[in-house]
Amino acid sequence: MPGLSDALNGLRAGSVSLPVAAVLLWIMYPVLAGVRYRLLPQVARGARFILVSLTLVWLVAPAVMSTLAWLLLPDLPEFRTGVILVGLAPCIGMVLIWNLLAGGDNERATVLVVVNSAVQILAMPLLAYFYLNVLPGWLSLDQERVGVSLWEISRSVLIFVGIPLVAGVASYELGMRTLGEERYRERYLARIAPTTLYGLLASIAMLFALQGDRITSAPLDVGRIAVPLLLYFAIMWFLAFWIGWAARFEYPQATPIAFTT
């Protein structure tokens, strides 16, 4: 569709694509509107559950991604840097959708999203500096000077987690007071829940449309980048799920740990 990419790119606020932002916010809203927020204090007291997730997300995952990037993209510094940065950014939005589809515990997934969002604001710039500047220097490898702005990360977290979270809490509380839980879920959530999948497909289509020229003009580069990403996702998902099982979490609890990681 000629002109679609330019049209989408033209609708921006700073570095944020407004059409993509709108769809991403919507697909998270129905999930967050269905979370039983009154159970969150009880879930948040599960220190072992949160500790396992934080260890995997902020200690293990960046090390695995950095290793894969250096092994598989040694001659492509810009791509290598991008792949490493992906490994430093935990899944704080889409994890809600994947967890819902897989039958995971929504309340625990929400707790992990909120905790990781808060940690990300400070941890990501520090880890980026370590994995792109400090560690390569120790190993006598090429160093990449990349600035990761605290404000950019904070703004993204506030927009893509804060807005749907506040809307979800407000909808839940209003629904509980006016309809009761059963009618709220049957009359409201049952109607909006299916739109999450339509939004998910639309977001994927738009994200790839925005990069359509690059994808079609450099398919070999896309393939090179895909290899470490696929390996990373497979290694970390199954490792996290196995660790959750070894820690004696049941399936609904191990699932959000795996997807978040």
Side-chain angles (χ1 to χ4, degrees), residues 85-211:
L85 289 174
V86 169
L88 302 181
C91 187
I92 59 173
M94 289 293 189
V95 62
L96 295 169
I97 311 302
W98 309 130
N99 180 72
L100 178 70
L101 293 173
D105 188 311
N106 282 342
E107 286 69 41
R108 282 178 167 78
T110 302
V111 167
L112 292 184
V113 165
V114 172
V115 171
N116 278 312
S117 298
V119 174
Q120 181 179 10
I121 293 172
L122 292 177
M124 191 173 174
L126 295 175
L127 288 172
Y129 179 74
F130 176 76
Y131 279 101
L132 296 176
N133 297 324
V134 177
L135 185 60
W138 290 351
L139 301 176
S140 300
L141 300 171
D142 295 334
Q143 295 171 285
E144 294 293 325
R145 301 288 176 182
V146 177
V148 180
S149 167
L150 278 174
W151 165 240
E152 288 290 338
I153 297 173
S154 302
R155 185 177 65 175
S156 294
V157 168
L158 289 172
I159 292 174
F160 293 108
V161 177
I163 292 176
L165 183 61
V166 169
V169 172
S171 297
Y172 176 79
E173 290 297 331
L174 183 61
M176 291 298 100
R177 293 175 185 177
T178 58
L179 299 174
E181 182 157 2
E182 185 175 347
R183 287 197 297 168
Y184 171 67
R185 295 189 177 278
E186 289 180 355
R187 292 187 180 183
Y188 183 64
L189 287 181
R191 293 179 180 177
I192 66 170
T195 64
T196 293
L197 291 179
Y198 298 126
L200 177 62
L201 293 174
S203 70
I204 294 172
M206 281 195 288
L207 288 169
F208 277 90
L210 290 170
Q211 301 294 330

Side-chain angles (χ1 to χ4, degrees), residues 10-35:
L11 299 171
R12 306 184 73 85
S15 60
V16 177
S17 169
L18 295 179
V20 173
V23 174
L24 290 177
L25 291 174
W26 175 256
I27 65 176
M28 291 174 63
Y29 167 69
V31 181
L32 289 169
V35 172

Side-chain angles (χ1 to χ4, degrees), residues 69-70 73-85 142 144:
W70 277 101
L73 301 170
D75 56 327
L76 297 170
E78 291 183 351
F79 291 168
R80 184 177 64 239
T81 298
V83 166
I84 290 173
L85 289 174
D142 295 334
E144 294 293 325

